[in-house]
Amino acid sequence: MDITVAVDAMGGDHGAHVTVPAVLRFLDRHPDVNVVLVGLPDALETELRARKAGIGPRLRIHPATEIVTMDESPQSALKNKKDSSMRVAINLVKSGEANACVSAGNTGALMATARFVLKTIEGVERPAIAKMMPTATGGETCVLDLGANVDCTPEQLLQFGIMGASLVSAVQHKDRPSVGLLNIGSEEIKGNESVKAAAELLRASKLNFHGNVEGNELFTGTVDVIVADGFTGNVALKTTEGLAKMLAEFLREEFTRTWWTKLLAALAWPVLSHFKKRVDPRRYNGASLLGLKGIVVKSHGGADQMAFYWALKQAVTEAQSGLIQRITEEVSGQLADLAARPDASTAAVAP
């Protein structure tokens, strides 16, 4: 099945200078994908001409007259930028002209606009930002929420667990992905009241609930899905990004300290090159806005061409997997099952 992706070509720190060449590279390697570049036509045509490319059967331009800036408030973007490249791209998903949307634009504005235009799946109170993280086992763990919802109820954390498990099942083809709840300890007595109540709901659900996991298990591959509120998840994400940058800088400094260490660096280049590729954060670019009635993938605002390429790949993979239908069915089924249990309150599991 051919997939059509609507790209907010003006979003992010670099706009069309990154999105257009990334799209051209992606189209060259994926003949079953079509792309709609959404943005200022003159700017997009200039970028295409600079790369000796043009529109065709698999690539077209859809005009938009406004751009959401990276520092613009979600309220302003939603109220005042109704013809922004971001909103027009999301509208194409709503109308069915595109199967997914990818944007490197303002995260808050993207979430607010996507939620307003697409609405949430029945049974989902709030969408969550989910991202695949590399693990020491060579696999990936889905972590959510990464910043969309600072404060979460136990019921919302349960919904995140269902959506995360659905995502892993869809894109990694795992029947019963394991789910962990990020906490300050593995014991059941640990955590605040909201987290402990969420653990009870997760344990009572049909999910393959592993139990609590700690921050040092983010990259061990202990579980397939890690659930957290947006505050905790975002702090964990930014901490790991900062640590990765620091370690990379330490390595660069040590290998360039003297002529001898430079020689050692040259000898170790094959190993260093493989290591860099294995942990390259660009290969994990693309966070999914789960819980919406449409696929929206958020690229890092500072993404380069390779990183945006991987965000496109994430969107296409989700569209091909039937993710929205899977989440819809799982949320409906899981919440109905919990509500039907004699020891469960309907109010406790239904939004």
Side-chain angles (χ1 to χ4, degrees):
M1 180 183 72
D2 283 357
I3 298 297
T4 299
V5 181
V7 174
D8 169 15
M10 314 307 295
D13 297 338
H14 310 293
H17 296 303
V18 161
T19 58
V20 171
V23 163
L24 293 175
R25 180 186 179 193
F26 194 84
L27 288 173
D28 184 58
R29 299 187 179 189
H30 296 83
D32 57 343
V33 176
N34 306 313
V35 171
V36 181
L37 289 171
V38 182
L40 308 179
D42 289 345
L44 297 180
E45 289 168 2
T46 298
E47 289 294 331
L48 289 171
R49 283 197 301 269
R51 289 159 180 81
K52 299 180 180 179
I55 60 174
R58 298 175 53 224
L59 177 66
R60 67 182 178 91
I61 292 174
H62 191 102
T65 60
E66 298 171 314
I67 300 173
V68 174
T69 62
M70 295 301 283
D71 59 352
E72 192 162 358
S73 73
Q75 294 79 9
S76 174
L78 190 60
K79 182 179 179 180
N80 303 319
K81 298 287 183 69
K82 296 182 180 179
D83 197 46
S84 68
S85 55
M86 177 185 291
R87 183 155 179 172
V88 173
I90 296 172
N91 281 336
L92 292 177
V93 176
K94 181 180 180 180
S95 69
E97 295 179 63
N99 304 102
C101 166
V102 180
S103 174
N106 181 319
T107 303
L110 182 66
M111 176 61 84
T113 304
R115 185 176 182 182
F116 177 80
V117 172
L118 298 174
K119 311 305 182 195
T120 55
I121 292 170
E122 185 175 355
V124 176
E125 294 181 33
R126 297 181 183 176
I129 299 176
K131 183 178 176 65
M132 294 296 185
M133 308 281 276
T135 67
T137 60
E140 295 178 334
T141 292
C142 173
V143 184
L144 75 168
D145 177 28
L146 294 177
N149 308 283
V150 174
D151 298 306
C152 297
T153 65
E155 295 76 31
Q156 289 161 0
L157 293 175
L158 169 64
Q159 293 160 25
F160 296 168
I162 297 171
M163 293 191 295
S166 298
L167 176 61
V168 171
S169 293
V171 303
Q172 296 184 3
H173 309 293
K174 292 186 177 180
D175 290 334
R176 282 181 51 82
S178 55
V179 178
L181 180 63
L182 191 59
N183 203 343
I184 58 173
S186 59
E187 301 88 349
E188 292 184 13
I189 62 172
K190 291 291 183 69
N192 57 35
E193 294 306 314
S194 179
V195 169
K196 287 190 285 188
E200 289 301 317
L201 288 176
L202 287 163
R203 195 171 291 110
S205 73
K206 289 185 176 180
L207 293 172
N208 181 15
F209 184 54
H210 169 84
N212 294 328
V213 294
E214 298 183 72
N216 60 357
E217 295 178 271
L218 280 171
F219 302 103
T220 61
T222 303
V223 293
D224 300 305
V225 180
I226 294 180
V227 175
D229 62 75
F231 183 93
T232 305
N234 189 265
V235 170
L237 175 66
K238 298 303 182 182
T239 300
T240 59
E241 289 178 349
L243 176 61
K245 289 180 180 178
M246 183 185 73
L247 293 177
E249 182 61 22
F250 281 0
L251 280 174
R252 188 193 67 79
E253 289 177 356
E254 293 304 322
F255 275 117
T256 58
R257 192 175 296 279
T258 67
W259 68 268
W260 173 244
T261 57
K262 290 179 181 178
L263 176 61
L264 291 176
L267 293 173
W269 176 248
V271 175
L272 292 173
S273 180
H274 181 74
F275 172 77
K276 181 180 179 181
K277 181 178 180 181
R278 186 175 179 183
V279 299
D280 190 344
R282 296 177 300 177
R283 297 172 61 88
Y284 300 95
N285 182 46
S288 307
L289 275 55
L290 296 184
L292 300 168
K293 294 179 180 179
I295 293 171
V296 179
V297 171
K298 170 67 173 72
S299 166
H300 194 287
D304 63 9
Q305 295 176 23
M306 178 179 173
F308 198 82
Y309 175 98
W310 283 95
L312 291 168
K313 187 173 180 63
Q314 177 69 23
V316 170
T317 300
E318 291 182 12
Q320 291 173 331
S321 70
L323 176 63
I324 303 303
Q325 181 179 354
R326 185 185 291 265
I327 291 178
T328 302
E329 293 173 352
E330 285 297 320
V331 169
S332 175
Q334 291 268 6
L335 297 187
D337 178 74
L338 274 175
R341 295 191 178 193
D343 57 341
S345 168
T346 302
V349 295

